Amino acid sequence: MEVQNHNAAEGPLPIEVHHERLNEMISGGSEDLDSWTSLISEIEKTYHDDRNTICLAFDSFLSKFPLCHWNWKKYAYHEARLCDAEKAVEIFERAVESTPFSVGLWVDYCTFAVSSFEDPSDIRRLFTKGISLVGKDYFCHFLWDKYMSFEFSQEQWGFLALVYVQALRFPTKKLHKYYENFKKFVTNLEEGILHLSDDSREVQLKELSDATVVLSSGEIAQVVRDIQDPSDDSVRLKALYKYKYGGNQLYQKACQLENKIRSFESNIQRRYFQATPLDNNELKNWHDYLDFIEKQDDFDWALKLYERCLISCANYPEFWMRYVDFMETKGGRELAMFALERATKVFSKNVPEIHLFTARYMEQIGDPDGARASFPPIIIDWDSYFIQNVTNRANMEKRLGNCSAACDIYERAIKMAVEEEKFQCLPTLYIFYYRLKHMITASVEAARDVIIDGIKRIPDCKLLYEDLDIIDLPLQGAYYTWSRGENSLQV
């Protein structure tokens, strides 16, 4: 009996299709977030236990979309399942190195640490590092909640006391809830300390009320240690009231600041990365918020707000350029360079505008080689950016004294436009070129030669004739004659 092979007619098996699609998207340099997300989901199902394929898929995806913190989490948990916790930690460390200001990423990392790390001090250090980076994000309460829950589970009241007061330093969405927790915690501490005589207590309260209690992080830590000192109730009580007054002061300052930023925060609808465009109102809100923060005397806060903005607005070159300009004015050149690297190599690498901006920036800071390397390739399909790219390159070379190189740039661009039959670009190129030529040589004849060449190529171009008039070129006479019948300029 003859057996038919139906599979041969049906084509490759689904498992092969997904692998082929992955290779095609990698080799083709796909930038489509939805396609990648769909493929990752299919690969997780189809190659559930194939670590090599899973790693290839996630590495490729996250090199293009590093702000998708939920995919870093997926990747890390796959590594924990297929290898061990150390491999998962390596993934999380890569994640926070590339995207250090993501609240969601730190929540994911710390949650993993709580369930996987054996030493509580390692978990505590991770929470502390995360808070140091995202603690001025209005929505960092997600991380504070995890931190408080962890310390509560450890029953280490000294550490919990530190967390409760530190959470009052900066406004978050749950600031008022944290203040209520703080007050309850203080009440419990008061009940646990032996009471001094009323006279002694009144003296200490008078000392505290007369003083301005401004507690640094180090002072708070010392106050908490004093509260836990069992040897001297007087020291404990004084430390407790310092803790209480200090926390109240932090809360009052945070409330004042919250009043200033509440309207900005309430208008932020998207706090995560997504490829779909933001609406104009939200973009304006970010610009207004950045205008506000630039006027405050807090560079650290400004840095972190910019980085937070660039999670939501990563696909908008205007915010990257604004960030670079601000950092440069504040002496943060390394931060500016890091921002440009991310913008030009990941988030806006196909946007000519950011490359042109980078080239100008590199020239301004005295790095002409870096500027040349930063220019985008001269691709005529980029329409208006083609001409801007050419003129920016040529003008830079002129400023650097490389006049021959400046002219060569125009000549190559004109040749490219002719070969690609992009004749609409030629008038503008010729006009800019003849002006540059005249500026370099101070020779009317040299400028005329450029325009004459342009008229020969595009004899019906009115703009070029108008510029002939500007440089006072006689169209009839001893040098040039115009033959309308032959539709050409004869020398």
Side-chain angles (χ1 to χ4, degrees), residues 21 25 30-41 61:
R21 186 180 168 204
M25 291 182 68
S30 173
E31 303 285 342
D32 189 300
L33 177 59
D34 290 338
S35 296
W36 271 107
T37 302
S38 173
L39 179 60
I40 289 289
S41 178
F61 171 77

Side-chain angles (χ1 to χ4, degrees), residues 71 85 133 225 299 343 431-433 488:
N71 282 285
L133 290 166
R225 285 193 291 271
F299 176 80
I431 289 171
F432 284 151
Y433 184 21
S488 63

Side-chain angles (χ1 to χ4, degrees), residues 455 459-460 465 475-476 480-485 487-490:
I455 291 175
D460 294 328
Y465 288 107
L475 292 178
Q476 297 180 0
Y480 303 95
T481 59
W482 172 250
S483 174
R484 294 187 180 277
N487 199 33
S488 63
L489 189 69
Q490 299 177 348

Side-chain angles (χ1 to χ4, degrees), residues 64-309:
K64 299 176 182 296
F65 305 103
L67 295 177
C68 296
H69 72 83
W70 48 90
N71 282 285
W72 285 109
K73 175 185 176 181
K74 287 182 179 181
Y75 191 5
Y77 277 85
H78 280 305
E79 286 288 78
R81 177 177 60 84
L82 296 172
C83 291
D84 52 39
E86 289 185 5
K87 289 295 184 182
V89 169
E90 289 178 9
I91 299 302
F92 275 122
E93 285 295 321
R94 281 174 52 193
V96 296
E97 181 179 358
S98 67
T99 313
F101 299 98
S102 168
V103 173
L105 184 55
W106 280 107
V107 170
D108 293 339
Y109 192 4
C110 291
T111 300
F112 176 81
V114 169
S115 64
S116 303
F117 291 6
E118 295 182 358
D119 189 345
S121 62
D122 291 336
I123 300 172
R124 196 168 285 121
R125 278 193 293 270
L126 194 64
F127 272 115
T128 301
K129 183 178 180 181
I131 289 295
S132 72
L133 290 166
V134 301
K136 291 184 177 180
D137 189 315
Y138 190 71
F139 289 89
C140 71
H141 60 279
F142 293 108
L143 187 58
W144 279 120
D145 285 348
K146 290 286 183 181
Y147 195 2
M148 292 175 186
S149 177
F150 165 72
E151 293 296 4
F152 193 85
S153 71
Q154 296 297 303
E155 298 185 358
Q156 295 289 325
W157 309 125
F159 288 114
L160 189 60
L162 287 172
V163 173
Y164 275 151
V165 74
Q166 287 168 349
L168 303 176
R169 281 193 175 278
F170 206 80
T172 66
K173 191 173 183 180
K174 294 182 71 172
L175 172 65
H176 309 296
K177 173 66 175 177
Y178 292 155
Y179 183 58
E180 292 301 317
N181 291 343
F182 170 78
K183 290 193 295 183
K184 291 177 182 178
F185 186 72
V186 168
T187 299
N188 291 335
L189 290 176
E190 287 176 326
E191 293 174 354
I193 295 177
L194 294 175
H195 296 293
L196 299 176
S197 68
D198 291 340
D199 292 342
S200 177
R201 181 183 299 182
E202 287 179 4
V203 170
Q204 293 196 20
L205 291 178
K206 181 65 167 58
E207 291 176 357
L208 289 170
S209 62
D210 289 343
T212 301
V213 183
V214 180
L215 299 179
S216 66
S217 296
E219 289 171 330
I220 290 175
Q222 182 58 53
V223 165
V224 170
R225 285 193 291 271
D226 289 343
I227 292 174
Q228 296 176 293
D229 183 1
S231 63
D232 191 333
D233 285 339
S234 175
V235 171
R236 294 180 69 195
L237 185 61
K238 186 172 183 178
L240 174 59
Y241 280 107
K242 275 189 177 182
Y243 177 77
K244 180 178 180 179
Y245 277 106
N248 287 340
Q249 186 183 61
L250 290 175
Y251 173 69
Q252 294 301 325
K253 288 185 176 181
C255 285
Q256 293 172 8
L257 191 53
E258 184 185 32
N259 290 334
K260 297 178 181 179
I261 67 174
R262 185 182 293 115
S263 62
F264 299 125
E265 293 291 346
S266 63
N267 286 318
I268 297 174
Q269 303 301 316
R270 185 193 297 172
R271 304 187 305 275
Y272 52 87
F273 172 78
Q274 182 54 265
T276 55
L278 293 167
D279 63 46
N280 290 334
N281 289 334
E282 191 158 1
L283 292 173
K284 182 180 183 303
N285 181 66
W286 273 116
H287 277 299
D288 292 343
Y289 203 171
L290 294 172
D291 288 341
F292 165 80
I293 194 63
E294 288 181 1
K295 297 174 184 176
Q296 310 305 307
D297 188 22
D298 191 335
F299 176 80
D300 182 67
W301 185 19
L303 162 67
K304 289 168 181 174
L305 185 65
Y306 263 107
E307 289 287 353
R308 179 183 166 201
C309 167

Side-chain angles (χ1 to χ4, degrees), residues 70 139 174 218 230 282 324 432 434 452 464-465 470 486 491:
W70 48 90
F139 289 89
K174 294 182 71 172
E282 191 158 1
V324 170
F432 284 151
Y434 99 75
I452 296 305
L464 293 179
Y465 288 107
I470 292 174
E486 297 179 5
V491 180

